[in-house]
Amino acid sequence: GKLGRALVDLLPPKHRQRQNYFMSWTWQYSVGQVRNALQMWKAPMAAENVFFYMCFFVNNQFRLIVDGTPAGSDDLEEVFEENLRRCGQMVAILDGWHQPRYLRRVWTIYEQYVACSLKIDVAFVMPHEASASLSQKISIGDKGIAE
């Protein structure tokens, strides 16, 4: 076979499940930011029943980037929409509330546009520090919100 595989391919089949949440994020986030934001998220079901579609683990990055295979790069919009529909829900991770990186990327804005168009439920989450900072600013009132 060809070199390269998706990280999820390294898991035994019994540990792979149908994803029920699409994770929207940026590659600029640290693992700690993603982990902390997910810890802040209140899943509407038991954690053992939550399975994320996260492109980093599912896409074969080698074949997308090096080979430029059509199974992903040429029809990325269709592949994205299909995965989002299949998951049916999205968790979007912001690194912070004040000028988040997430809102400066065209692709993540596009993800939100598509989710809205498809009427997909989206939960926005932030790491604890960012959430606490936002809560503190809101508690100040108009002055805090204006900052």
Side-chain angles (χ1 to χ4, degrees):
K2 291 185 169 187
L3 290 177
R5 57 171 57 183
L7 292 175
V8 73
D9 292 338
L10 299 174
L11 291 174
K14 68 180 181 178
H15 294 297
R16 300 180 209 168
Q17 299 290 325
R18 182 178 182 270
Q19 301 101 358
N20 50 7
Y21 285 91
F22 185 97
M23 185 184 302
S24 181
W25 65 299
T26 80
W27 285 71
Q28 296 170 323
Y29 296 167
S30 70
V31 171
Q33 285 175 308
V34 172
R35 184 188 48 137
N36 193 280
L38 290 176
Q39 288 171 335
M40 294 293 294
W41 177 58
K42 305 295 183 217
M45 62 183 71
E48 61 269 11
N49 296 322
V50 174
F51 299 95
F52 284 104
Y53 176 95
M54 188 176 187
C55 61
F56 175 80
F57 293 103
V58 180
N59 292 343
N60 182 328
Q61 303 301 328
F62 180 84
R63 292 201 184 128
L64 283 174
I65 296 167
V66 177
D67 284 356
T69 59
S73 59
D74 291 343
D75 59 350
L76 201 52
E77 293 172 38
E78 291 174 32
V79 170
F80 163 68
E81 188 173 316
E82 178 183 319
N83 287 320
L84 184 57
R85 280 184 196 272
R86 181 176 33 77
C87 292
Q89 302 170 87
M90 178 188 281
V91 173
I93 299 177
L94 304 179
D95 57 328
W97 63 271
H98 190 267
Q99 299 181 350
R101 291 181 196 148
Y102 187 92
L103 297 178
R104 289 183 268 157
R105 294 193 64 238
V106 171
W107 183 258
T108 49
I109 292 169
Y110 173 75
E111 287 180 349
Q112 290 307 311
Y113 167 77
V114 173
C116 183
S117 298
L118 298 175
K119 297 183 180 5
I120 299 288
D121 288 336
V122 178
F124 285 92
V125 296
M126 295 183 290
H128 175 73
E129 187 176 305
S131 295
S133 170
L134 177 60
S135 293
Q136 191 270 333
K137 292 296 182 183
I138 290 171
S139 72
I140 294 172
D142 291 344
K143 183 180 177 186
I145 294 170
E147 287 183 18

